[in-house]
Every structure is written in structure tokens, then in C-alpha cells.
Amino acid sequence: MLIIQISLNLSTLKNVSFVILLLQMCLVFGQKKVIVIDPGHGGIDSGAIGINHLLEKDVVLGIAKEILRLNKTVFEDSFDIYLTRYTDTLISLSDRSRLAKSLKADVFVSLYCNHSNNPDVRGIEVYVANSKSEYSKESIWLSFQFQVTFNANLGFESRGLKFSNFQVLRQTIDSCASVLLELGFLSNLDEAAYLKKSSNINRISFSILTVIHTLILKQQI
């Protein structure tokens, strides 16, 4: 079996359209599932600023990089995992979606953190596209499993499955199972403190990979 691989560093390739063109020029023959992890915000867009001054863009990039590491070291390189950004750069929402489509991703997971004017609000929110496609069922099932796992393994309250017209979901739902995770409220003192610890970033990342791995083994996504 011929496998032609390319190594892309999005920190040096600022033009994502160029990255996509390179991907389309390569023939990839393999059996691994392709997972695209999309750490939100980046660059001049910090996202939410935590009550402890933690930046959302840094939290989600840390989780994404830990997912990459765990796939290599714990999950025996089970998946081909790509990030929509590898450094503190701002990538457009359209280019994030286009990258997933060009890679023919099997699963697209977008990572964010939440914020509220009420410091008592807490918990995980999981979003799927509010439009129907052949991947709607898989996306809903994936989101349900994320909520159950986060509650059981991390103690995060579930704020329920939500349907949204978020651009990254709208533009990927026709090509793969697609979800957006709001991983706690940076405006909540407890959750902001939780997200500041590297050991907890590891737990969140491990939980995300575990859900994907389990559902793929069961051929449910």
C-alpha cells in the first residue's frame, strides 16, 4: 500500500488556501480515520478572557496539542489527526471548514470555552448543526457521548445538546460527523481554575479521544 504523506506546519504557511491545494495534490491511501480538531480563535482574536486572566485561545490550543500527543503516545497513533491551527494564528472560519473537507475528515471537533456575565453559570455545552444531513445522526450521537463522558470522567455538568447555525458546523455537516464543544465557563471561578491546570487539560483531551475511539470501534461514526 502506497502512502504519500506531507508534513504541514500552519505556523509557516499563513495562507490556508495554499495548504489545502497541497493536500489536494497528494494521494493518501490508508485505513486510518481522519480527525480534524479545530481550536477556536487565535492571533488577535483571544476569545473569552477568564476571571483568572486565562485566554480562551490558549486553552483550546493546549487541548488540541494534547490530543495530538495522546494519539501518538497512548492511542498508538490510531488516527490521522490534523489541527486547523498549530500556533497562535487566526484562521478564518471558512478556511477551517475547507481544510476539513479537503482532508476528507471523518470527524470534525471544534473547541471553544464559554463566558457569561453571571459568574455562577457553569457546565459543558455541545452543539451540532441545526440543518439535516446524512451525518446528523452520527453528530448527535457523538455529542451525547461527549456529554456523558465529560460528566462521568471530569465532573462537568452538562448543559445539554444544542442545535446551532455556527458556520463551522454548517459548512462541515454535509461531509462528516461534526460537533462544537464549549468546554466550561472561563467566567466561573472553579471552571477557570480547572482549565488552568495542565493535568486537567490532559483529562479533557483524553476524554475527547476516548469518545471518538470508542464510537469508531463500534462503527457508530
Side-chain angles (χ1 to χ4, degrees), residues 2-221:
L2 173 64
I3 302 178
I4 302 176
Q5 296 179 321
I6 58 175
S7 176
L8 296 174
N9 186 335
L10 294 187
S11 66
T12 59
L13 296 176
K14 295 182 180 179
N15 189 336
V16 175
S17 296
F18 179 63
V19 176
I20 292 172
L21 178 62
L22 286 178
L23 290 168
Q24 290 174 333
M25 292 171 62
C26 293
L27 298 176
V28 181
F29 301 96
Q31 300 301 315
K32 290 182 183 179
K33 294 286 187 178
V34 175
I35 313 299
V36 172
I37 303 296
D38 172 40
H41 304 292
I44 60 172
D45 179 10
S46 67
I49 300 176
I51 195 169
N52 56 356
H53 307 295
L54 198 59
L55 300 182
E56 179 181 4
K57 66 175 184 177
D58 296 334
V59 175
V60 294
L61 182 59
I63 293 170
K65 287 184 173 182
E66 182 65 2
I67 288 172
L68 275 179
R69 189 189 71 82
L70 290 173
N71 181 55
K72 295 285 188 182
T73 59
V74 178
F75 287 80
E76 299 179 338
D77 207 21
S78 296
F79 308 117
D80 282 331
I81 297 183
Y82 300 86
L83 307 187
T84 56
R85 65 180 181 94
Y86 291 81
T87 60
D88 185 19
T89 53
L90 181 60
I91 307 298
S92 74
L93 297 177
S94 295
D95 282 338
R96 294 167 192 256
S97 304
R98 289 172 59 206
L99 184 64
K101 290 181 179 180
S102 296
L103 287 166
K104 301 187 185 307
D106 296 286
V107 179
F108 177 87
V109 180
S110 196
L111 306 178
Y112 287 85
C113 296
N114 233 324
H115 190 277
S116 172
N117 291 329
N118 182 350
D120 294 327
V121 176
R122 62 170 63 227
I124 295 280
E125 292 180 343
V126 185
Y127 288 87
V128 298
N130 60 6
S131 55
K132 297 291 184 180
S133 85
E134 63 177 299
Y135 297 100
S136 294
K137 181 179 178 181
E138 288 88 348
S139 299
I140 292 171
W141 186 238
L142 180 60
S143 70
F144 175 75
Q145 293 302 318
F146 275 134
Q147 292 177 81
V148 170
T149 300
F150 288 146
N151 181 262
N153 294 354
L154 309 176
F156 273 94
E157 297 176 13
S158 172
R159 294 174 56 84
L161 166 63
K162 299 178 183 293
F163 294 88
S164 172
N165 195 38
F166 289 139
Q167 184 174 338
V168 290
L169 295 179
R170 183 176 70 247
Q171 293 181 341
T172 54
I173 189 61
D174 288 330
S175 57
C176 64
S178 175
V179 300
L180 185 147
L181 305 177
E182 290 277 7
L183 296 164
F185 282 78
L186 292 177
S187 50
N188 179 276
L189 187 60
D190 291 337
E191 293 190 345
Y194 183 95
L195 290 166
K196 194 170 185 177
K197 295 181 179 179
S198 59
S199 59
N200 293 330
I201 295 300
N202 172 272
R203 291 186 182 97
I204 293 171
S205 305
F206 183 82
S207 295
I208 290 172
L209 267 179
T210 297
V211 169
I212 295 172
H213 188 264
T214 300
L215 294 186
I216 285 177
L217 284 179
K218 293 181 178 179
Q219 298 184 335
Q220 292 176 323
I221 57 173

